[in-house]
Amino acid sequence: MGGMRLTLLPGPPVTFKARLHDARTATAIGRFLGLAMVLCFATGVLSHFLQHPPGWLADRLPSRPYWGYRLTQGLHVASGTAAIPLLSAKLWAVYPRLFAWPPVRSVLHALERISVAGLVAAALFELSTGLLNTFQWYPWPFDFVAVHYAVAWLLLGSLLLHLAVQWPAIRDHFTRRSPGTLSLPEADGPDRRRFLLGVTAAVGSVTLTTAGQSVTALGPLELFGPRSPAHGLQGLPVNRTAAAAGVTRISTADWRLTVDGPRPVTLTLEELRAMPQYEAVLPLACVEGWSKSAHWAGVRVRDLLERAGGGPGSRARVVSLEAAGAYRVMEMGRLYAQDPLTLLALRLNGEVLSLDHGYPARIIAPNRPGVLQTKWVGRLEVL
Ligand SMILES: Nc1nc2c(c(=O)[nH]1)N[C@H]1C(S)=C(S)[C@@H](COP(=O)(O)O)O[C@H]1N2
Ligand SMILES: [Mo]
């Protein structure tokens, strides 16, 4: 095997011997990394719009399929997780270029290097903050959602720019003509196959050992998913406990549900239980990546809105008993509020809701991020 010089010009401080550091390896990994990133971006933007819909969209967001968000958020976290070994392999394949000599050949070359630096920084930022978020660990001073979302757009922009700049090498890779300028003719040997096989095995194993957090069938293989859906009170993990939210048995002792609207009503738990009860099997799909289906029973939200004088076009605002917290107040658009599967749940998996799962009453709606499945509901408002 021959050594590999990166440029024809004299003076590179390092010479890389491995022939895996060439354009073919970079492109072979890059297409899967690109695919993972595009999938991660698309599902992430979708998640963002479901969680923070702009006004014009709020009433158009569909409440079906009921498993939609579980699927897309599962894909978001899985594609982001898979991108970690892919990005590592890609960076390993291309890092010799850091030592290319001279460091800058032209203004265009300088701009290209800056754009690659931006791409790498944005990708590392998104994957590391995303991964830590799945562990609910926020060791930074900024708002995770806003910054993770903004940097996603930067990442998309620099990815598109990178694809445009690298287009000749990518095209060569796919048309299998002469390999890129940095590769050697004999570079398609067993080394590359072994390396790519190793990367595939790494991606496969991180996926199989974490996807169980949202894919029930993969549950037994789940090793590294931060929240195992197999554990939890009443067969469901607890994200924020009642104690953390400052909700106690005493604060729920003489609980009343207030439904505000053209004809406001106040209902006791007994009165709610006397209303027609409906059942639904719906998943709780946390934005952080775990999902679990459960059997819910309670009163339809649309029946409650109707009792307070809300018509078939009404939307709803939901307010929790929780004194403070980012998820205390939530709004749901018309299609969610009117969906017959959207419940003010009183029971979970055949039992009265536990305090940690939102006793006396919580929201459960189809195709909706977990953060919007408000617990300890105290008040509904017809909008
Ligand atoms: N009032 C209130 N409701 C809330 C939350 C919260 O912090 N406060 N957390 C939400 C989040 S992030 C999720 S994933 C679900 C989890 O519900 P569970 O704890 O019953 O599994 O509740 C949601 N409802
Ligand atoms: Mo969540």
Side-chain angles (χ1 to χ4, degrees):
M1 75 155 70
M4 173 182 158
R5 298 284 284 217
L6 285 162
T7 65
L8 298 172
L9 292 163
V14 192
T15 300
F16 289 89
K17 292 244 188 306
R19 55 188 180 178
L20 292 175
H21 298 294
D22 64 11
R24 283 191 70 78
T25 315
T27 313
I29 298 169
R31 59 187 167 166
F32 293 108
L33 180 58
L35 204 71
M37 281 188 171
V38 167
L39 185 60
C40 201
F41 177 82
T43 49
V45 168
L46 191 84
S47 175
H48 196 78
F49 278 101
L50 283 179
Q51 204 187 328
H52 306 278
W56 58 270
L57 191 61
D59 277 338
R60 294 189 174 84
L61 287 179
S63 54
R64 302 298 175 93
Y66 72 88
W67 42 262
Y69 187 73
R70 178 180 196 168
L71 176 72
T72 62
Q73 194 61 7
L75 284 173
H76 181 68
V77 174
S79 57
T81 309
I84 294 172
L86 287 171
L87 181 66
S88 312
K90 170 97 178 176
L91 290 178
W92 179 81
V94 301
Y95 87 93
R97 292 178 197 211
L98 277 177
F99 302 96
W101 201 262
V104 171
R105 288 193 301 267
S106 64
V107 174
L108 210 65
H109 183 227
L111 287 177
E112 196 236 310
R113 296 204 77 179
I114 292 171
S115 79
V116 169
L119 173 63
V120 172
L124 289 174
F125 180 86
E126 288 299 86
L127 296 183
S128 52
T129 53
L131 181 69
L132 293 185
N133 179 249
T134 68
F135 289 90
Q136 278 198 314
W137 187 26
Y138 304 96
W140 45 70
F142 51 81
D143 175 50
F144 168 77
V145 174
V147 179
H148 191 73
Y149 181 66
V151 176
W153 285 96
L154 276 180
L155 179 54
L156 181 75
S158 41
L159 180 63
L160 293 178
L161 189 65
H162 179 67
L163 292 177
V165 170
Q166 295 298 333
W167 185 245
I170 297 168
R171 193 191 45 211
D172 282 353
H173 177 83
F174 282 103
T175 53
R176 292 200 157 265
R177 280 192 292 121
S178 70
T181 46
L182 283 174
S183 54
L184 300 167
E186 76 275 24
D188 261 315
D191 282 6
R192 191 197 313 280
R193 276 199 299 277
R194 237 172 272 144
F195 178 60
L196 293 180
L197 209 66
V199 174
T200 310
V203 169
S205 49
V206 295
T207 304
L208 283 178
T209 53
T210 53
Q213 60 189 317
S214 66
V215 184
T216 308
L218 291 176
L221 297 177
E222 215 249 70
L223 279 178
F224 301 116
R227 214 75 46 78
S228 173
H231 304 289
L233 204 61
Q234 300 185 306
L236 193 69
V238 172
N239 230 40
R240 186 157 197 229
T241 60
V247 178
T248 61
R249 281 281 163 204
I250 300 151
S251 60
T252 56
D254 36 38
W255 179 85
R256 298 274 188 288
L257 176 76
T258 309
V259 191
D260 238 347
R263 289 192 312 272
V265 282
T266 304
L267 298 159
T268 63
L269 193 50
E270 292 319 309
E271 287 169 319
L272 276 174
R273 285 175 180 153
M275 285 178 67
Q277 304 289 302
Y278 293 87
E279 299 183 4
V281 175
L282 289 175
L284 233 150
C286 181
V287 293
E288 284 136 18
W290 63 268
S291 297
K292 180 91 189 271
S293 253
H295 185 279
W296 307 91
V299 181
R300 282 178 174 170
V301 165
R302 71 173 187 194
D303 293 350
L304 290 166
L305 299 179
E306 199 183 304
R307 253 188 95 159
S314 34
R315 298 181 295 123
R317 178 181 295 133
V318 179
V319 185
S320 172
L321 298 175
E322 192 186 358
Y327 311 131
R328 196 178 77 88
V329 182
M330 169 278 281
E331 285 186 12
M332 56 167 83
R334 187 173 60 83
L335 297 175
Y336 284 108
Q338 300 300 327
D339 193 306
L341 287 181
T342 300
L343 302 181
L344 182 72
L346 308 176
R347 302 176 68 84
L348 161 59
N349 289 334
E351 296 169 10
V352 171
L353 276 178
S354 62
L355 195 57
D356 280 337
H357 281 305
Y359 176 88
R362 77 165 306 157
I363 295 293
I364 186 76
N367 190 28
R368 208 153 154 82
V371 288
L372 302 178
Q373 310 282 26
T374 311
K375 302 197 275 191
W376 315 292
V377 172
R379 180 186 179 88
L380 279 179
E381 294 168 25
V382 176
L383 295 180

